[in-house]
Amino acid sequence: MRYTQLDTPTLLIDREILVENLKYMQSYADINSVALRPHTKTHKMPFVANMQIETGASGITVAKVGEAEVMAANGIKDIFIANEIVGCSKLERIRKLAETVEISFGVDTPCQVEAVEEVFASAVNPAEILIEIEVGENRSGIIEEADFIVLLDTIKACPHVHFKGIFSHDGNSYSADNLEECRQISLAAQRRTLHFAQLARENGLSPAIVSIGSTPSQMNHFEILEGVTEIRPGTYALMDASQGNAFGTLNRCAATVLASVISRPTSERVILDVGAKGITMQERNEGICAVPGKGIIKEYPDVHIANVYDEHAIIYNKDFRDQIRVGDKVRIIPVHICPVCNLYDYAVLISGDEAVEEIPILCRGKLQ
């Protein structure tokens, strides 16, 4: 059927744009002789993850153990959890996964490593860990060199823990004022990551993997410095309004939310049948990722959602109101696609005007 015949709200993915996005990033990785390990927290779909592997990705990245379990059950054999893992129950689940797939995960504190050692003490193979380096996002990761060396010494003292490498995420690039500032943030993050890689070598642990990530820098094909072995962009597969602004066009946005006009209560107000529970309340107000409102109407790119309630999106635009009628359907380009995918049981793959296939979002809700 035509996608306009689908009930609303529905998450749509344009097949041709998706395929082009996957090829675009894989080409960037190949040209720079680095591995591509896409972050699948964006789409949460084994279907898309397998497309990424088929296009050339070396493996995938996830955020949670639950996502790793689902991806492994659906044929993915090389998985990195780009997050610190705390708690014996999660470590025991990783230990079980390690029996059938290659799996690694993040640490940034000695006590985490000591807990890993205890859980993996009787495992056939050692735990594979990467140390996170904080590079300006003000989130998790090692900040001080002294703490890094203490962490390395802890790893050396744990025979069932194998140091695989280091990783970082320059999420602060999202708020860069312009592309040149974004480029400088990317380069600074790479230099800092590579510095810690060298510190590890000087302290007797050589990283096989030096992994960096962030869609704005990698969609714009910034320079990748020698010594980096892997990139981990996520949003590039589907894109969204904020990343589209950072890239300079919304034409790369593969994901949209199909919604119906359900009311035109005033001469300028229009109400759609999807709200915070279908597109989130997220906004981006700073830098190259800034976008007006809470979503852009694809067919009317100058029209944005001004506000949302749980199940309603509010638009104030007289010209738009005069052009549409109750019952019409429009596509919303979300501000931030990652949490949007987590709100739906499935997405519909479309090609042109045709609805092609339902894709289950099997990792939705896997928060543990």
Side-chain angles (χ1 to χ4, degrees), residues 267-317:
S267 62
E268 64 173 2
R269 189 191 312 157
V270 176
I271 313 299
L272 306 180
D273 66 344
V274 64
K277 293 181 179 179
I279 58 171
T280 82
M281 298 184 71
Q282 290 208 1
E283 295 183 341
R284 291 205 191 272
N285 302 311
E286 297 180 333
I288 56 175
C289 288
V291 61
K294 296 176 171 65
I296 302 295
I297 305 304
K298 182 176 177 65
E299 297 86 354
Y300 304 86
D302 293 330
V303 177
H304 67 269
I305 294 168
N307 198 11
V308 294
Y309 294 88
D310 280 355
E311 307 292 354
H312 299 79
I314 317 297
I315 296 169
Y316 295 99
N317 188 298

Side-chain angles (χ1 to χ4, degrees), residues 241-258:
S242 64
Q243 297 294 341
N245 277 359
F247 186 56
T249 178
L250 297 178
N251 292 337
R252 291 280 189 173
C253 295
T256 55
V257 173
L258 185 69

Side-chain angles (χ1 to χ4, degrees), residues 10-213:
T10 293
L11 178 62
L12 306 178
I13 297 176
D14 186 297
R15 181 175 64 187
E16 283 69 36
I17 298 176
L18 169 62
V19 168
E20 181 58 31
N21 287 345
L22 301 191
K23 290 179 178 178
Y24 179 83
M25 191 61 73
Q26 188 63 56
S27 174
Y28 172 60
D30 292 345
I31 289 170
N32 285 277
S33 300
V34 296
L36 172 61
R37 183 181 294 275
H39 206 316
T40 61
K41 73 178 179 66
T42 292
H43 54 74
K44 289 179 166 278
M45 305 175 209
F47 178 94
V48 177
N50 277 299
M51 287 180 67
Q52 291 171 310
I53 296 292
E54 291 164 6
T55 306
S58 63
I60 65 164
T61 305
V62 298
K64 297 297 179 74
V65 179
E67 293 175 340
E69 289 168 332
V70 171
M71 291 295 183
N74 284 272
I76 305 297
K77 298 299 184 183
D78 192 335
I79 303 170
F80 170 49
I81 307 172
N83 216 337
E84 285 69 31
I85 303 299
V86 174
C88 286
S89 62
K90 290 184 175 67
L91 290 171
E92 287 167 356
R93 289 160 62 194
I94 292 174
R95 175 180 162 174
K96 183 172 180 59
L97 280 170
E99 296 173 0
T100 57
V101 301
E102 292 185 35
I103 187 159
S104 54
F105 55 95
V107 299
D108 70 356
T109 308
C111 67
Q112 296 163 351
V113 176
E114 292 164 349
V116 173
E117 172 67 19
E118 184 174 347
V119 170
F120 276 76
S122 58
V124 175
N125 297 312
E128 301 284 347
I129 61 98
L130 287 83
I131 298 176
E132 182 175 16
I133 308 300
E134 211 286 315
V135 293
E137 189 176 26
N138 295 324
R139 204 167 65 178
S140 52
I142 286 285
I143 298 172
E144 302 295 337
E145 290 183 11
D147 293 331
F148 183 64
I149 293 170
V150 169
L151 185 53
L152 292 174
D153 288 341
T154 304
I155 294 169
K156 291 176 191 176
C158 294
H160 301 95
V161 178
H162 176 246
F163 173 67
K164 193 170 186 179
I166 64 175
F167 72 105
S168 64
H169 178 245
D170 55 319
N172 48 323
S173 62
Y174 290 29
S175 57
D177 287 335
N178 51 58
L179 283 182
E180 178 55 27
E181 183 179 343
C182 183
R183 188 179 76 86
Q184 293 301 328
I185 288 172
S186 171
L187 291 173
Q190 291 182 62
R191 292 187 187 108
R192 178 169 165 82
T193 306
L194 289 165
H195 172 67
F196 277 89
Q198 181 58 30
L199 277 179
R201 294 185 192 98
E202 292 171 359
N203 283 271
L205 291 176
S206 183
I209 294 175
V210 179
S211 181
I212 63 171

